[in-house]
């Protein structure tokens, strides 16, 4: 069985708010599966090849649980409109371009490479409504060594007529065609993706709920992101008291469900997420950029909800998860201020946990570099940065959330395989 032994300062997040550092330690994986972190190399590995990372940090790689692949070309653009206008003005016209497989190939190859180089090794990702482009996206992620879930987007109403649209029939038959073609992927799996309630007819939602149950497929969507969106959902589903019930009604609400944003989810909606085991994806950058609001992320954690982080590009302007972690921490402080200092903020260690261990938990992993987890790791260099005093491993990681030297990420492992190296 293939053996990987990395030597360096190993820092991981074994529990929310706790960083565990082993200076000059050994991270050992066999057949791509972590055996442990050891201060001294165990006897049984004596003589095996060791990848010496010197003084570099060896840390967990990231999980980005919500991003829109076809919005990658508009990263950093179109931030002047709120959600619904933003979708119609910028997002839908761009997503329409992914009817062209060549365009999709070029963009998705670049996106996959950028994810790998920046240490994002697990994703839950939205494609566009196009089946072929979605398969191309999955191919490119797989080739780059990225793991996780991708969804062909379903949107059979309130789209952009003549530009980006699908009928109910097309949405259903294309979803089936897409699922048929997904069988060959090893690292990237399909996830049902009703865009959000306003985009999907009742008939389509019912079809997707049934499909999810029949084939035990996970589901991702958006929830309670923006005030006008929430009002619209209320008008579309007068029988539902709250937004989440429009998903629950159709069997799209369980412990494999991932809901992005949840900015305005009140206590009742949050309880519904906790009780069903739904994973909330906090997208702090996007929530601020398109003026959605400041999600009560710390309160959600306190209440026992499962919370992970998402870049939500291109509502979010940052693909790099170090920055996404920093944004989540800043947003939690804004929330605290808005709450008249009555709620807590996220510590750096908690933010780091959300960006790594909490996201990995969705894929069935235990926190930190736990034995039995697949090897997902990155090597981080900070030797060029000035030091106020000799720093501990945990302090170095905390600084890295806010500050990194050029080309700081030296190597990345995903599912046991080295997928990027700067040397
Ligand atoms: N709600 C429905 N579609 C989208 C999208 O593409 N981005 C965001 N942020 N929210 C959405
Ligand atoms: Fe989104």
């Amino acid at each position: 069985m293939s053996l990987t032994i990395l030597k360096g300062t190993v820092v991981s997040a074994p529990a929310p708010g706790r960083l565990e550092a082993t200076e000059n330690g050994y991270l050992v994986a066999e057949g791509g599966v972590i055996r442990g972190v050891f201060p001294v190399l165990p006897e049984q590995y004596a003589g095996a090849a060791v990848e010496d990372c010197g003084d570099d940090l060896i840390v967990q790689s990231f999980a980005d649980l919500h991003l829109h692949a076809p919005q990658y070309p508009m990263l950093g653009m179109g931030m002047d409109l709120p959600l619904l206008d933003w979708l119609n003005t910028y997002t839908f016209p761009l997503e329409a371009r992914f009817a062209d497989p060549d365009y999709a190939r070029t963009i998705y190859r670049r996106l996959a490479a950028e994810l790998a180089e920046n240490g994002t090794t697990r994703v839950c990702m939205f494609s566009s409504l196009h089946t072929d482009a979605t398969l191309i996206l999955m191919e490119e992620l797989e080739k780059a060594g990225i793991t996780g879930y991708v969804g062909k987007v379903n949107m059979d109403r309130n789209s952009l007529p003549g530009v980006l649209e699908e009928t109910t029939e097309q949405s259903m038959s294309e979803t089936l065609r897409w699922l048929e073609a997904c069988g060959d992927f090893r690292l990237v799996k399909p996830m049902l993706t009703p865009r959000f309630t306003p985009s999907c007819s009742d008939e389509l939602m019912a079809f997707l709920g049934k499909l999810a149950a029949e084939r035990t497929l996970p589901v991702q969507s958006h929830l309670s992101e923006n005030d006008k969106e929430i009002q619209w959902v209320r008008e579309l589903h007068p029988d539902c008291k709250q937004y989440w019930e429009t998903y629950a009604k159709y069997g799209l609400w369980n412990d494999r469900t991932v809901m992005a944003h949840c900015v305005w989810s009140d206590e009742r909606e949050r309880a519904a997420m906790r009780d069903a085991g739904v994973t909330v994806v906090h997208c702090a950058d996007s929530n601020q950029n398109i003026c959605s609001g400041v999600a009560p992320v710390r309160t959600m954690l306190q209440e026992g909800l499962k919370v992970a982080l998402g870049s939500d590009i291109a509502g979010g302007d940052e693909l790099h998860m170090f920055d996404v972690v920093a944004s989540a921490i800043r947003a939690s402080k804004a929330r605290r201020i808005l709450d008249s200092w009555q709620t807590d903020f996220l510590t750096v260690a908690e933010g780091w946990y959300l960006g790594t261990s909490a996201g990995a938990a969705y894929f069935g992993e235990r926190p930190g570099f736990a034995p039995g987890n697949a090897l997902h790791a990155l090597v981080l260099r900070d030797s060029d940065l000035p030091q106020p005093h000799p720093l501990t491993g945990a302090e170095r990681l905390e600084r890295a959330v806010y500050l990194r030297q050029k080309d700081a990420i030296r190597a990345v492992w995903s599912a046991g395989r080295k997928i990027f190296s700067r040397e």
Side-chain angles (χ1 to χ4, degrees):
M1 208 175 327
S2 74
L3 194 58
T4 307
I5 303 177
L6 308 181
K7 182 173 190 288
T9 297
V10 185
V11 188
S12 67
R18 194 155 71 82
L19 294 177
E20 196 170 81
T22 309
E23 311 271 342
N24 293 312
Y26 297 84
L27 172 60
V28 177
E30 275 183 72
V33 177
I34 294 173
R35 291 289 173 227
V37 177
F38 306 99
V40 177
L41 190 65
E43 192 65 37
Q44 68 196 98
Y45 304 119
V50 172
E51 187 146 348
D52 192 346
C53 304
D55 195 37
D56 294 346
L57 293 172
I58 301 166
V59 302
Q60 293 160 263
S61 58
F62 297 107
D64 186 345
L65 257 61
H66 182 73
L67 71 164
H68 296 262
Q71 296 172 23
Y72 181 52
M74 62 186 256
L75 204 53
M77 299 176 68
M79 299 299 189
D80 53 347
L81 292 172
L83 176 66
L84 301 177
D85 302 318
W86 176 82
L87 286 173
N88 285 315
T89 308
Y90 302 111
T91 315
F92 290 166
L94 173 60
E95 290 195 15
R97 291 201 59 186
F98 289 79
D100 173 359
D102 293 335
Y103 183 69
R105 179 77 65 190
T106 306
I107 298 298
Y108 290 156
R109 185 164 295 172
R110 253 186 94 169
L111 171 63
E114 191 168 343
L115 288 168
E117 284 167 28
N118 288 281
T120 297
T121 59
R122 302 182 210 258
V123 294
C124 288
M125 192 182 269
F126 280 50
S127 176
S128 57
L129 61 77
H130 311 96
T131 302
D132 293 342
T134 303
L135 292 168
I136 289 168
L137 172 59
M138 294 170 86
E139 273 171 36
E140 292 301 327
L141 292 172
E142 178 109 1
K143 268 195 268 177
I146 312 292
T147 71
Y149 293 108
V150 169
K152 173 225 172 308
V153 167
N154 296 99
M155 44 189 299
D156 71 336
R157 66 175 179 184
N158 299 312
S159 315
L160 214 51
V163 179
L164 183 73
E165 60 179 343
E166 58 178 5
T167 65
T168 307
E169 274 308 309
Q170 279 168 339
S171 192
M172 296 193 293
S173 62
E174 284 298 293
T175 299
L176 294 175
R177 180 168 83 83
W178 165 60
L179 291 174
E180 282 300 305
C182 285
D184 295 337
F185 297 110
R186 201 174 54 85
L187 302 175
V188 186
K189 302 290 178 191
M191 182 173 213
L192 296 182
T193 306
R195 182 172 203 121
F196 66 156
T197 297
S199 291
C200 297
S201 68
D202 295 4
E203 187 186 354
L204 182 56
M205 293 280 255
F207 169 83
L208 294 172
K210 193 158 166 281
L211 200 57
E214 279 170 6
R215 305 194 188 188
T216 45
L217 288 165
V219 173
Q220 60 181 348
S221 195
H222 295 91
L223 179 68
S224 297
E225 178 177 2
N226 159 290
D227 54 351
K228 290 212 166 56
E229 170 211 20
I230 295 168
Q231 181 55 37
W232 195 12
V233 171
R234 220 173 266 138
E235 289 158 19
L236 291 167
H237 289 267
D239 57 317
C240 291
K241 224 165 148 177
Q242 290 193 303
Y243 194 161
W244 68 275
E245 289 163 80
T246 66
Y247 296 116
K249 181 162 84 168
Y250 295 108
L252 298 163
W253 192 257
N254 57 53
D255 63 356
R256 300 298 292 145
T257 300
V258 174
M259 284 288 156
H261 301 285
C262 311
V263 176
W264 298 100
S265 298
D266 68 359
E267 218 172 314
R268 182 174 177 274
E269 190 161 87
R270 295 198 301 264
M273 294 193 265
R274 184 193 54 221
D275 295 347
V278 166
T279 296
V280 174
V281 191
H282 178 51
C283 306
D285 276 322
S286 171
N287 293 344
Q288 188 155 13
N289 284 335
I290 52 177
C291 289
S292 298
V294 186
V297 60
R298 197 64 186 70
T299 301
M300 289 176 180
L301 289 174
Q302 225 133 348
E303 291 172 347
L305 277 70
K306 295 192 270 186
V307 181
L309 301 185
S311 65
D312 191 36
I313 65 157
D317 56 290
E318 261 306 343
L319 189 63
H320 308 151
M321 291 298 288
F322 283 105
D323 297 312
V324 170
V325 169
S327 292
I329 295 166
R330 288 195 188 96
S332 75
K333 292 178 180 173
R335 186 67 260 169
R336 174 167 158 81
I337 295 164
L338 292 170
D339 293 338
S340 306
W341 282 266
Q342 297 303 301
T343 53
D344 285 334
F345 56 82
L346 295 173
T347 63
V348 178
E350 285 170 333
W352 182 259
Y353 182 90
L354 294 184
T356 56
S357 295
Y362 182 72
F363 301 94
E365 302 277 66
R366 293 196 290 135
F369 284 129
N373 283 356
L375 177 63
H376 285 256
L378 62 87
V379 174
L380 189 72
R381 184 162 298 171
D382 61 359
S383 51
D384 289 351
L385 296 176
Q387 287 198 62
H389 54 81
L391 300 177
T392 65
E395 285 174 326
R396 289 169 63 192
L397 178 55
E398 291 189 3
R399 175 173 63 178
V401 168
Y402 293 99
L403 179 70
R404 291 165 307 283
Q405 69 190 51
K406 188 169 180 293
D407 296 337
I409 297 181
R410 309 306 301 174
V412 178
W413 279 260
S414 175
R417 188 160 76 83
K418 195 180 202 177
I419 64 166
F420 171 71
S421 172
R422 221 168 261 289
E423 267 85 34

